[in-house]
Amino acid sequence: MDGILISSSILSADFSRLGEQIHEAEAGGVDWIHIDVMDGSFVPNITMGPFIVETCRRITKLPLDVHLMIEHPERHIEDFATAGATNLSIHIEDTPHIYRTIEHIQSLGCKAGVVLNPGTPANRLEAVAALMDYVLVMTVNPGYSGQQFIPVMVKKVAQVRQMLDAQGSNALIEVDGGITAETLPLVYQAGARLIVAATAIYKYPDGIAAGITALRRAVA
Ligand code: DX5
Ligand code: ZN
């Protein structure tokens, strides 16, 4: 089986010791650090901004996987790139000029990912398949960590993979929401290779490193 990259979402980390928690995830073998940016408008919750990205940049050398769940993401791309983002994921639902915004992200030296909410069909991506670097399929409604995985999203991951293959795109598929050792094999089978997890890592009963190991074992 080909490998997966695990992106640990700090949304479930203990922010009173964020540095330690990130170092623990790094020592446990996580590949990326996922940062969920929410504005209380595109999604109900309000979380973090460029300041936290810049803080994480000083804590770790791991790639920073920044997921923008904000209105007008195009207005903030430069701030996040300057703060040290490696990947910038933008939702197709709130980015009318998606082609231009992807190009803008890439011109700043970041990888550009396009995100689909659970209600958004796979074929919305067709026009940008050749341009984007990866796709992020939401497997919960964005806004919070600790939600239940939506099983019908497995089918969408497979549809996205099919569409990308038909367009000759090697873009990887990332999944985000409710990923555990039980749900991971389902999305892996469907074609996901970039795996985001918050609860299954930072709130794993036996600790962060054990949580990462459990995810890896699920598809070993
Ligand atoms: C949800 C966020 C996710 C969230 C995942 O809107 O995009 O990254 O932190 O949390 P879990 O893994 O607990 O579902
Ligand atoms: Zn996310």
Side-chain angles (χ1 to χ4, degrees):
M1 284 204 200
D2 8 320
I4 53 168
L5 291 178
I6 300 182
S7 194
S8 74
S9 162
I10 59 170
L11 196 55
S12 290
D14 175 355
F15 268 67
S16 69
R17 37 193 207 96
L18 182 62
E20 280 168 50
Q21 296 252 292
I22 288 178
H23 287 148
E24 221 175 304
E26 197 169 352
V30 91
D31 300 291
W32 293 352
I33 301 299
H34 185 86
I35 302 170
D36 288 303
V37 178
M38 307 187 190
D39 65 354
S41 179
F42 180 64
V43 292
N45 199 4
I46 300 178
T47 57
M48 24 195 157
F51 176 73
I52 294 287
V53 175
E54 195 271 327
T55 303
C56 291
R57 189 63 298 156
R58 284 185 284 116
I59 292 170
T60 178
K61 290 199 165 30
L62 289 179
L64 301 180
D65 183 32
V66 178
H67 177 189
L68 299 179
M69 287 159 276
I70 57 177
E71 303 280 0
H72 306 295
E74 66 284 351
R75 295 181 189 169
H76 303 278
I77 298 299
E78 290 201 30
D79 287 346
F80 284 101
T82 305
T86 313
N87 306 331
L88 280 170
S89 308
I90 44 168
H91 276 255
I92 200 158
E93 301 87 6
D94 69 347
T95 315
H97 303 291
I98 190 90
Y99 208 95
R100 180 197 292 159
T101 308
I102 293 172
E103 287 184 321
H104 186 196
I105 291 172
Q106 292 169 337
S107 75
L108 295 167
C110 299
K111 299 279 186 212
V114 179
V115 195
L116 300 176
N117 272 336
T120 307
N123 62 15
R124 283 280 303 273
L125 289 173
E126 235 170 77
V128 288
L131 188 65
M132 66 198 173
D133 295 297
Y134 61 98
V135 176
L136 171 47
V137 176
M138 289 307 299
T139 40
V140 296
N141 291 299
Y144 302 93
S145 57
Q147 301 183 83
Q148 286 293 312
F149 179 82
I150 304 173
V152 73
M153 292 303 119
V154 173
K155 193 170 148 203
K156 184 152 73 177
V157 172
Q159 288 167 343
V160 171
R161 187 66 268 159
Q162 240 170 21
M163 185 277 294
L164 291 171
D165 292 345
Q167 300 286 325
S169 163
N170 294 323
L172 291 176
I173 302 177
E174 185 170 33
V175 282
D176 185 6
I179 301 296
T180 62
E182 286 70 47
T183 56
L184 174 50
L186 309 173
V187 286
Y188 181 86
Q189 286 270 319
R193 293 295 179 271
L194 308 174
I195 308 300
V196 179
T199 309
I201 293 178
Y202 291 102
K203 296 220 186 300
Y204 194 73
D206 299 332
I208 291 172
I212 297 164
T213 304
L215 290 173
R216 290 215 189 276
R217 283 209 183 120
V219 290

